[in-house]
Amino acid sequence: MQIAESKQNAWTVLVLTGKVDQEGSAQLKAALAPHLTGGLVALDFTNVEYVTSVGFRVLLVALKEQTAKSGRLLLGNMSEPVRSFFDIAGLSTTFKVVHDIYPTVTAT
Amino acid sequence: MAELLALFLVGLSLFFYGVGGIKTHLQGLTSRRLRHQVARWAAHPVLASLWGFVSGAITQSSTAVAFILTSFVSSGLLTTVRALPIVAWANLGTAVLVVFVSFDVRLAFLYVLGSAGLALAFEAGGARLRPVAATLFSIGLLFFGLQLMKDAFAPLPRFPWFADLATFLQGSTLAAFVAGALLRLLIQSSSGIAVIAIALAHGGLFSTEQAAMMMYGTGTGVGLSVFLLSSTLPGVARQLTLYQALINTAASLTLAALFYLEHLSGWPLVLHLAHTLSSQESLRLACAFVALQSTAVFIALTCSRAAPRWLEQLSPATGEQDLSRPRYLNDQALVDPESALDLAEKEQVRLLDHLPAQLDTIRADTAHTALVPAAMLHAATVAVGPQVQAFLRELVDRHTDHATTERILRLEHRQTLILSLDETVHLFVSVLASLRSADRSGIEPIDPFLDRLAESLSTLLLTATDAARTVDPDDLATLLRLTSDRGELMERLRRSLLGSAPAIDHQHKTHVFYLTSLFERTVWLLRQLAQTWPQPPAA
């Protein structure tokens, strides 16, 4: 998996490309770690084909840390199959999942 | 001569029929409750030794006791460590028969045989007392058989060939030792061979020394026999039988060495002691047999601390056995209920870990990873689950305060849910695996959906195991949120699946519906599980 990092206003945006599987999850975890400091973090799933349970676990841990530090974790730009992963696992109500993250990150 | 041989064969057959009968009819007397009681006795060192001694005395085969205990250990009723002293003392128990035989108890056992036989023939006492009468009848047959064997050898010295054979064997104690070991391979009863040796000495065919060496040889025979019989047993199941083989071989070789030392040096050792104790030959030989079995017990007691470690190295637990035995539960912890409950919770977390691990076997992400088979994980949960329940019940029986009792009840409920979860997840994994292995092309249109279902289920189970491990209010709140009712969503997904994948046949559709039902049931069970921890305050 490839992860492109950028800064947009107060937001750190990570654009993910590929599969968030066993290997991708480890990369995502490493990429997220320095940003879980209570700031604003957004994940762009446009090019994500697949998310496994290990990937969800990384996201849940990240959300827990961000919430504890009063930060935000925004997820969006998901394809329909990836979105249905979140729906079936009941994660759509746990995470802040939006159709498009960019209006939010450019406005703040 | 033909008549004597026939008499000997009848005696031998009655003896072994009696031994077999005692074992069979005793099984009719042992209820599940008694088996559990016996497991409790094993926790007490003195009672465990007594149990071993009595078992050996009744079954007349410490090897049989070792194999019976192996089944107890395999069923989780006993641990190997607790079974070791029972096996050791069973060896000494087998000597009871030999000592009895050296006395004249013929009349007493004829009465036992006659009255028990009549009770069986006329069904006196009804079905309830039948196993008791049958057991007594078998004991009577055993002794009657022994008596016949003794009678058969009595006239032997009158035969001319006997003198030739006696001359040939004269002084060959080593041959008698080897004969004892080989006979023990054929006849699964050391005490039975000891009785034969006494009868041979009684008939003048063997000297006292040869009869004693024949008895000592049975120890090595036990070692060989048990080693061969248990060669197919896996891991832990073989440990008890190996222990039996080792202590008997060691005792046998020790006494043979002492015999030659006594013979060559003239130092007063075992046989001298036997001579001092009795002037009667049969009793002296019985003493030699008791010495053999006592040496086995002595060796066992001397090595009792190191034995479990050695056995673990000699026959390590298989992966399945390792998973199928409790890792944290131990009876010593029961004295402190709070610590015991902490251990039970750790065991439950371990069982919960088996659930996502079962799913890993069908997830695409783990296709190239070496995984424990789902069936093995399921079997392990099924094996350990009742032991956790029994452990918790044991705590209920002890007087505990209100708060502890409440915690026990919560853990009991959690255990029931874990077992239900295991059953449901295992079904999910089995159905999905069979669906994929049977006809992959038939389910291609719905395969992505099945993947999502499996990954989602895995996510929920991983969240549950995390929450169980940390008991963090945030993790529990997340689990509760993730397990909110999603019946409507699942119904929508089923409908859309039917619309988007009309190509799949009816049977596959049925399977998919079943899988979604199992998914919903798992979600419901996980919610119930989350509620077994103290509830986090509402946000």
Side-chain angles (χ1 to χ4, degrees):
Chain A
M1 192 177 71
Q2 290 179 327
I3 303 171
E5 192 182 314
S6 65
K7 204 81 179 149
Q8 300 211 14
N9 296 327
W11 288 86
T12 301
V13 178
L14 300 179
V15 181
L16 316 177
T17 304
K19 288 181 179 176
V20 190
D21 53 12
Q22 196 97 31
E23 198 187 326
S25 299
Q27 289 173 283
L28 178 61
K29 189 179 175 184
L32 275 170
H35 305 295
L36 302 177
T37 51
L40 306 175
V41 180
L43 299 181
D44 179 345
F45 280 78
T46 310
N47 302 315
V48 171
E49 306 158 31
Y50 197 86
V51 186
T52 67
S53 55
V54 189
F56 285 129
R57 205 181 196 183
V58 169
L59 291 173
L60 280 166
V61 171
L63 178 68
K64 188 181 168 185
E65 281 198 43
Q66 280 292 79
T67 310
K69 293 170 184 166
S70 305
R72 285 178 70 187
L73 182 68
L74 186 67
L75 276 54
N77 305 67
M78 292 174 187
S79 63
E80 194 48 45
V82 171
R83 175 68 198 230
S84 84
F85 267 109
F86 278 80
D87 288 340
I88 297 172
L91 292 162
S92 307
T93 52
T94 302
F95 288 101
K96 176 77 179 161
V97 181
V98 294
H99 179 69
D100 188 354
I101 57 166
Y102 292 100
T104 311
V105 298
T106 48
T108 317
Chain B
M1 183 59 210
E3 198 182 324
L4 292 186
L5 191 64
L7 198 60
F8 176 76
L9 283 176
V10 171
L12 197 65
S13 65
L14 286 180
F15 172 80
F16 287 111
Y17 189 80
V19 170
I22 294 169
K23 274 186 235 168
T24 310
H25 299 304
L26 270 180
Q27 278 168 3
L29 289 169
T30 52
S31 62
R32 189 176 161 73
R33 195 185 162 85
L34 183 63
R35 275 161 54 93
H36 277 281
Q37 186 60 47
V38 155
R40 279 191 190 183
W41 290 342
H44 194 284
V46 177
L47 286 178
S49 312
L50 193 66
W51 176 27
F53 184 82
V54 172
S55 308
I58 291 171
T59 60
Q60 280 311 302
S61 171
S62 49
T63 305
V65 173
F67 276 94
I68 291 167
L69 287 173
T70 295
S71 72
F72 277 37
V73 171
S74 301
S75 67
L77 210 57
L78 266 184
T79 59
T80 305
V81 174
R82 287 199 174 168
L84 293 181
I86 303 171
V87 172
W89 283 92
N91 286 291
L92 192 58
T94 59
V96 169
L97 175 78
V98 184
V99 174
F100 253 104
V101 168
S102 62
F103 293 108
D104 190 7
V105 286
R106 179 184 179 155
L107 194 62
F109 280 101
L110 283 178
Y111 274 115
V112 169
L113 182 63
S115 44
L118 285 172
L120 279 176
F122 296 104
E123 294 186 356
R128 217 182 137 174
L129 284 180
R130 197 178 162 77
V132 179
T135 306
L136 286 174
F137 186 68
S138 299
I139 292 171
L141 278 182
L142 182 151
F143 278 93
F144 188 58
L146 288 175
Q147 194 58 49
L148 286 183
M149 281 193 278
K150 276 175 88 174
D151 292 348
F153 282 117
L156 275 182
R158 292 204 303 265
F159 292 92
W161 60 264
F162 171 81
D164 301 337
L165 189 65
T167 312
F168 176 73
L169 286 171
Q170 194 64 45
S172 182
T173 47
L174 186 63
F177 182 88
V178 173
L182 293 177
L183 263 180
R184 183 56 182 76
L185 277 174
L186 300 172
I187 302 170
Q188 294 296 317
S189 170
S190 301
S191 55
I193 296 164
V195 172
I196 293 171
I198 291 174
L200 287 169
H202 184 71
L205 189 62
F206 269 17
S207 65
T208 307
E209 284 72 22
Q210 282 176 306
M213 279 298 275
M214 188 177 183
M215 287 179 182
Y216 298 162
T218 60
T220 302
V222 169
L224 290 170
S225 153
V226 171
F227 192 78
L228 293 173
L229 285 173
S230 67
S231 57
T232 54
L233 289 177
V236 174
R238 199 171 186 220
Q239 290 181 2
L240 273 184
T241 50
L242 274 180
Y243 178 69
Q244 167 72 349
L246 290 172
I247 61 173
N248 274 280
T249 308
S252 165
L253 297 176
T254 304
L255 281 183
L258 286 177
F259 172 84
Y260 286 116
L261 190 65
E262 186 172 6
H263 193 71
L264 295 171
S265 67
W267 293 343
L269 295 171
V270 181
L271 289 182
H272 177 81
L273 184 70
H275 274 280
T276 317
L277 286 173
S278 175
S279 57
Q280 220 185 313
E281 186 181 47
S282 55
L283 203 55
R284 284 205 297 265
L285 285 171
C287 286
F289 190 69
V290 171
L292 173 72
Q293 304 307 339
S294 304
T295 307
V297 176
F298 176 77
I299 291 168
L301 293 178
T302 312
C303 306
S304 63
R305 275 179 181 273
R309 201 174 59 246
W310 294 342
L311 293 171
E312 191 63 44
Q313 281 169 357
L314 280 172
S315 187
T318 61
E320 187 168 3
Q321 286 169 340
D322 211 24
L323 281 174
S324 299
R325 54 184 182 184
R327 190 164 297 165
Y328 301 105
L329 306 185
N330 70 73
D331 290 352
Q332 283 75 23
L334 286 167
V335 291
D336 178 18
E338 283 301 318
S339 311
L341 287 172
D342 289 345
L343 293 175
E345 278 199 280
K346 284 183 96 168
E347 200 69 64
Q348 288 184 329
V349 172
R350 189 174 79 88
L351 295 183
L352 276 171
D353 282 336
H354 289 176
L355 301 172
Q358 282 197 53
L359 266 176
D360 282 348
T361 60
I362 50 158
R363 287 177 50 235
D365 197 22
T366 50
H368 304 294
T369 321
L371 297 165
V372 179
M376 196 188 277
L377 292 161
H378 170 62
T381 306
V382 168
V384 177
Q387 294 181 63
V388 177
Q389 282 170 325
F391 187 79
L392 292 171
R393 268 198 300 275
E394 189 76 35
L395 279 171
V396 173
D397 291 344
R398 289 163 195 246
H399 297 291
T400 50
D401 57 49
H402 180 68
T404 311
T405 308
E406 253 190 20
R407 194 176 163 206
I408 295 170
L409 293 175
R410 213 166 42 234
L411 259 64
E412 276 195 317
H413 179 47
R414 194 178 297 160
Q415 189 56 40
T416 312
L417 289 169
I418 291 171
L419 290 179
S420 300
L421 273 165
D422 169 71
E423 198 186 317
T424 313
V425 170
H426 186 64
L427 268 175
F428 184 93
V429 170
S430 309
V431 172
L432 190 49
S434 70
L435 203 57
R436 280 174 169 169
S437 65
D439 179 14
R440 185 106 203 167
S441 62
I443 57 157
E444 237 162 42
I446 51 162
D447 213 22
F449 170 74
L450 296 177
D451 264 350
R452 273 172 242 158
L453 211 56
E455 290 300 336
S456 301
L457 197 58
S458 172
T459 305
L460 293 170
L461 293 169
L462 286 171
T463 309
T465 55
D466 283 345
R469 190 167 281 111
T470 61
V471 200
D472 183 306
D474 287 341
D475 292 343
L476 289 168
T478 304
L479 181 61
L480 279 169
R481 252 196 324 273
L482 294 184
T483 53
S484 57
D485 180 42
R486 68 194 66 203
E488 212 175 288
L489 170 77
M490 294 311 288
E491 192 49 45
R492 205 172 62 239
L493 284 168
R494 282 186 200 116
R495 276 205 302 272
S496 88
L497 199 66
L498 282 181
S500 64
I504 61 168
D505 63 27
H506 179 71
Q507 201 190 356
H508 283 136
K509 276 180 193 164
T510 312
H511 280 125
V512 171
F513 270 62
Y514 186 45
L515 285 171
T516 54
S517 307
L518 291 171
F519 180 89
E520 278 180 281
R521 181 171 159 72
T522 310
V523 172
W524 182 83
L525 285 167
L526 285 175
R527 190 169 183 79
Q528 302 297 309
L529 185 80
Q531 287 166 348
T532 62
W533 280 279
Q535 292 306 291

